[in-house]
């Protein structure tokens, strides 16, 4: 079992920044995919970005590319999502997800992830 603990959500004004954190504990994988999804009110959950670790490859949805950055602190087993230039369309519950190593085409798909965090609310509003 793997437990994911998220933090860092909150209220921010348009144009602002936030950093989300997700720490994995338990029986973690040697090679894995770890990422972020989000769900806005009335919408389906969507892929935001992910890091695939065997090597160090990051992936982003078109809607966040250039604004969001994923990074990892191996010593802390923690994944970060740095979100810049936030706008109201980024308002959502953000979920951390974790799974065994996945092929590239599977990275944006929920089925690639075996474990999920509880979610953290990000609200972008003036």
């Amino acid at each position: 079992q793997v437990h994911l603990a998220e933090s860092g959500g909150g209220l921010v004004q348009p144009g602002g920044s936030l950093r989300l954190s997700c720490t994995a504990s338990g029986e973690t994988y040697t090679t894995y995919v770890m990422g972020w999804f989000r769900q806005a009110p009335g919408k389906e959950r969507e892929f935001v970005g992910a890091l695939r670790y065997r090597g160090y490859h990051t992936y982003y949805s078109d809607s966040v590319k250039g604004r969001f950055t994923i990074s990892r602190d191996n010593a802390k087993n923690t994944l970060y999502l740095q979100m810049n230039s936030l706008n109201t369309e980024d308002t959502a519950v953000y979920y951390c997800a974790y799974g065994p190593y996945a092929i590239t085409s599977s990275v944006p798909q929920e089925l690639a992830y075996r474990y999920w965090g509880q979610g953290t609310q990000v609200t972008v509003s003036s």
Side-chain angles (χ1 to χ4, degrees), residues 17-118:
S17 298
L18 277 177
R19 189 177 79 158
L20 306 183
S21 301
C22 175
T23 300
S25 61
E27 299 178 0
T28 55
Y29 301 110
T30 303
T31 58
Y32 58 84
V33 60
M34 193 168 182
W36 296 93
F37 288 74
R38 67 185 181 185
Q39 187 167 23
K43 296 186 177 181
E44 294 187 355
R45 190 158 57 184
E46 64 174 0
F47 173 75
V48 175
L51 182 150
R52 192 174 59 168
Y53 187 75
R54 185 170 73 191
Y56 192 102
H57 303 284
T58 54
Y59 305 84
Y60 300 95
S61 67
D62 288 341
S63 62
V64 307
K65 198 173 295 182
R67 300 187 299 123
F68 291 11
T69 303
I70 287 176
S71 61
R72 172 175 169 90
D73 185 330
N74 286 331
K76 297 181 179 180
N77 263 357
T78 298
L79 187 76
Y80 301 101
L81 180 66
Q82 177 66 44
M83 304 185 293
N84 299 328
S85 302
L86 286 161
N87 58 60
T88 56
E89 294 182 351
D90 296 316
T91 295
V93 177
Y94 283 70
Y95 296 91
C96 178
Y98 182 87
Y101 187 81
I103 61 175
T104 301
S105 60
S106 297
V107 169
Q109 301 177 23
E110 292 191 24
L111 288 177
Y113 301 84
R114 189 167 296 175
Y115 301 99
W116 293 81
Q118 79 284 357

